[in-house]
């Protein structure tokens, strides 16, 4: 994280070269230190206790994008490009004042309009670098949505595939992190939110692949329900991934998809 912070700030504020090959190597080494997807997502959660800044988020999204690329079975070269798309997607936020980015509570309309400029700032920072064009476009388009509700251009089609992948990873990391106005959301709560409106906002191929593998990552895990009971996930509901079948300590099983008032509150 310190290396990313130094590299980004030297490039943005002191016009020093940005060594993307070195950054990619560091991210890849960190990724390869995790033997399973569960190891990786545990590490992302632990990293937040160290730092929840733009730099930690950028590293998290890079790691999630790399795992996502493996789930999509892309080639090694594409995997590296997706990883750098995730790492550099928010570099434009360095040009947004910290007191706005870290503001507790909701943005004013004026503040949000300023924050919404970071994709263009990011593209402008990257556009002259000798890197894959998808990395530059991902910085510009990662907040665009397939229903036209995104920014900065309100696109509903012709959104670069790499940007569509980063968009899912970006939102997942943001929702599973703590924010001034709410605690971190459990992965199954995030899956539920994606299930409610994600298929309109995000590319279905990408979001469905992502949600399926996130749910599979926590198969057999111990969980706490919102009524305080603990249980173990024993089977996923493919049509309702946020509501798996769970088994209590007494052996009783419960299909959460039949219980509208119950949901997974946290993972143990």
């Amino acid at each position: 994280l310190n290396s990313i912070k130094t590299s980004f700030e030297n490039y943005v504020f002191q016009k020093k070269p940005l060594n993307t090959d070195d950054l990619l190597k560091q991210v890849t080494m960190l990724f390869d230190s995790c033997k399973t997807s569960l190891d990786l997502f545990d590490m992302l959660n632990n990293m937040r206790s160290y730092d929840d800044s733009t730099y930690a988020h950028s590293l998290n999204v890079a790691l999630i994008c790399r795992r996502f690329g493996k789930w999509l079975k892309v080639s090694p070269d594409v995997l590296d490009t997706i990883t750098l798309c995730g790492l550099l997607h928010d570099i434009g936020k360095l040009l947004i004042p910290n007191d706005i980015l870290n503001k507790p509570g909701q943005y004013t309309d004026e503040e949000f309009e300023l924050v919404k400029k970071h994709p263009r700032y990011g593209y402008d920072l990257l556009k002259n670098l000798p890197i894959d064009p998808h990395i530059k476009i991902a910085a510009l388009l990662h907040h665009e949505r397939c229903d036209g509700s995104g920014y900065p251009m309100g696109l509903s089609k012709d959104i670069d595939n790499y940007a569509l992948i980063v968009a899912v990873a970006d939102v997942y990391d943001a929702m599973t992190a703590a924010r001034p106005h709410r605690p971190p959301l459990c992965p199954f709560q995030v899956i539920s939110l994606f299930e409610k409106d994600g298929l309109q906002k995000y590319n279905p191929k990408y979001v469905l692949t992502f949600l399926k593998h996130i749910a599979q990552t926590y198969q057999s895990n111990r969980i706490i329900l919102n009524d305080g009971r603990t249980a173990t996930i024993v089977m996923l509901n493919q049509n309702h991934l946020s509501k798996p079948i769970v088994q209590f300590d007494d052996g009783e099983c419960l299909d959460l998809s039949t219980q509208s008032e119950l949901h997974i509150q946290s993972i143990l």
Side-chain angles (χ1 to χ4, degrees):
L1 281 170
N2 287 333
S3 176
I4 291 170
K5 184 176 188 290
T6 300
S7 296
F8 281 18
E9 291 182 353
N10 284 347
Y11 174 67
V12 173
F13 301 120
Q14 300 183 34
K15 310 304 180 190
K16 293 183 179 180
L18 184 67
N19 190 334
T20 54
D21 289 340
D22 183 58
L23 288 171
L24 176 63
K25 181 180 177 182
Q26 292 185 61
V27 173
T28 302
M29 286 176 61
L30 191 57
F31 180 89
D32 290 343
S33 72
C34 300
K35 293 182 174 60
T36 66
S37 294
L38 187 59
D39 289 342
L40 176 69
F41 285 98
D42 278 348
M43 181 176 70
L44 299 185
N45 287 328
N46 291 334
M47 200 144 49
R48 294 201 183 93
S49 65
Y50 167 73
D51 190 353
D52 195 25
S53 68
T54 295
Y55 307 103
H57 173 63
S58 296
L59 177 56
N60 283 2
V61 174
L63 292 165
I64 293 170
C65 281
R66 193 165 187 85
R67 173 53 62 194
F68 199 172
K70 285 184 174 287
W71 288 337
L72 292 167
K73 296 181 170 59
V74 302
S75 69
D77 286 348
V78 172
L79 190 65
D80 285 346
T81 300
I82 291 172
T83 303
L84 282 173
C85 285
L87 187 65
L88 295 170
H89 79 287
D90 260 355
I91 195 168
K93 281 188 175 176
L94 272 69
L95 299 178
I96 307 294
N98 272 332
D99 59 340
I100 292 179
L101 287 179
N102 300 324
K103 176 186 175 182
Q106 299 293 326
Y107 294 133
T108 65
D109 290 345
E110 293 79 10
E111 288 167 341
F112 188 46
E113 286 304 313
L114 178 57
V115 171
K116 284 164 63 175
K117 292 180 179 179
H118 79 268
R120 289 194 184 276
Y121 291 163
Y123 177 78
D124 288 342
L125 286 168
L126 300 174
K127 66 182 180 183
N128 294 322
L129 287 178
I131 56 177
D132 191 294
H134 289 292
I135 301 169
K136 307 170 188 181
I137 295 297
L140 179 64
L141 302 184
H142 66 277
H143 279 290
E144 299 290 352
R145 298 292 180 259
C146 296
D147 63 355
S149 65
Y151 61 86
M153 290 177 280
L155 300 179
S156 59
K157 55 184 179 180
D158 300 326
I159 305 172
D160 184 81
N161 284 334
Y162 290 71
L164 292 168
I165 290 169
V166 172
V168 174
D170 177 37
V171 170
Y172 180 83
D173 186 64
M175 288 199 287
T176 52
R179 287 293 179 263
H181 57 282
R182 62 154 176 81
L185 298 180
C186 158
F188 284 91
Q189 291 173 304
V190 177
I191 291 172
S192 178
L193 291 171
F194 270 115
E195 286 176 334
K196 285 176 183 173
D197 64 5
L199 297 186
Q200 289 75 46
K201 291 180 179 293
Y202 306 93
N203 179 285
K205 170 192 170 184
Y206 295 138
V207 74
L208 290 173
T209 297
F210 185 78
L211 297 182
K212 180 181 76 171
H213 282 90
I214 289 291
Q216 288 175 349
T217 294
Y218 294 101
Q219 175 86 42
S220 303
N221 259 66
R222 296 279 293 167
I223 55 90
I224 301 176
L225 297 177
N226 59 310
D227 64 0
R229 287 183 291 173
T230 59
T232 301
I233 297 172
V234 293
M235 188 178 295
L236 299 177
N237 280 312
Q238 294 302 323
N239 295 323
H240 206 161
L241 290 166
S242 63
K243 296 269 196 169
I245 298 170
V246 300
Q247 185 174 36
F248 298 105
D249 294 341
D250 63 3
E252 177 193 357
C253 289
L254 179 64
D255 184 348
L256 293 178
S257 69
T258 66
Q259 307 290 318
S260 60
E261 75 284 358
L262 286 179
H263 65 264
I264 296 174
Q265 186 74 37
S266 60
I267 293 171
L268 294 173

